Amino acid sequence: QHEPNNTDAMFDDLKTRKIWNSSICRSNPYWGVYEQTKEDFKDRLIGFATRRYDITDWLAIQGRFGTDYYTYRQTDIDGYDTSYVPLGRMTEREWRIRENNADFLVMLNYDFGDISVSGNLGGNSLSQNRENFSLNGNDFNIPDLQTVGNTGRQSFGYGISEKKINSLYGSAQIGYRDYLFLDLTARNDWSSRSEEHTSELQSRPHI
């Protein structure tokens, strides 16, 4: 006669948190997998569009726009009867981030006689918005109901920040008989950040 299968009884025993070594921070592996969970997911949308128009054979203009928007959510749970938090705890976090980029570029390439002129003039606008919030709960009232609303002590956090950078830039090259050239470049950036309430201007001319 065979002994009864004790597998179910063994797993039932592992479902209750048994400290299996000298450290209170080390629960058994079964408990760690099923009662101390970390989950996350992300929804993301990326888009890009560009348009170029040739005004003449030596002058063209181009515009581009791109966007990147995503939501990232994370849930961390330490179940009821976890060794170092006996009543359990959980945290819900979410980040919402949007970034838009737009630019234009005017392109010129013209020859007259022994002199050639080429150049670009453009601008860019970058805007980024970040929003995040968190819900924290400690001490589950009902052991197997893992929601923040089922905890005895709750707290929340919220943050928002915005960043914007506007830029103008250009470059030009003047040539003479394809052996003597003069190059010019310039760029100005205006930036601001809402969380720091700061703004700055950067100018970078170059010859």
Side-chain angles (χ1 to χ4, degrees), residues 177-194:
R177 291 189 175 181
D178 289 335
Y179 76 88
L180 181 64
F181 298 93
L182 174 64
D183 292 324
L184 305 169
T185 63
R187 181 183 179 109
N188 272 355
D189 294 318
W190 298 265
S191 63
S192 63
R193 295 175 175 83
S194 65

Side-chain angles (χ1 to χ4, degrees), residues 93-172:
R93 303 182 186 91
E94 185 167 298
W95 292 264
R96 298 174 183 174
I97 300 175
R98 179 190 298 272
E99 181 173 302
N100 291 327
N101 248 308
D103 65 33
F104 74 91
L105 189 66
V106 180
M107 297 161 283
L108 177 146
N109 193 344
Y110 190 74
D111 295 332
F112 50 97
D114 294 333
I115 298 175
S116 63
V117 178
S118 63
N120 299 303
L121 176 65
N124 177 268
S125 179
L126 164 70
S127 62
Q128 187 181 82
N129 300 299
R130 292 173 173 265
E131 184 180 22
N132 62 84
F133 64 86
S134 62
L135 296 173
N136 307 287
N138 291 271
D139 304 342
F140 290 116
N141 297 311
I142 302 173
D144 294 328
L145 181 58
Q146 294 176 335
T147 66
V148 174
N150 180 46
T151 57
R153 295 182 295 119
Q154 301 170 10
S155 62
F156 69 93
Y158 178 78
I160 188 171
S161 66
E162 296 180 355
K163 179 173 74 172
K164 190 161 189 176
I165 302 175
N166 292 318
S167 306
L168 287 175
Y169 41 82
S171 66

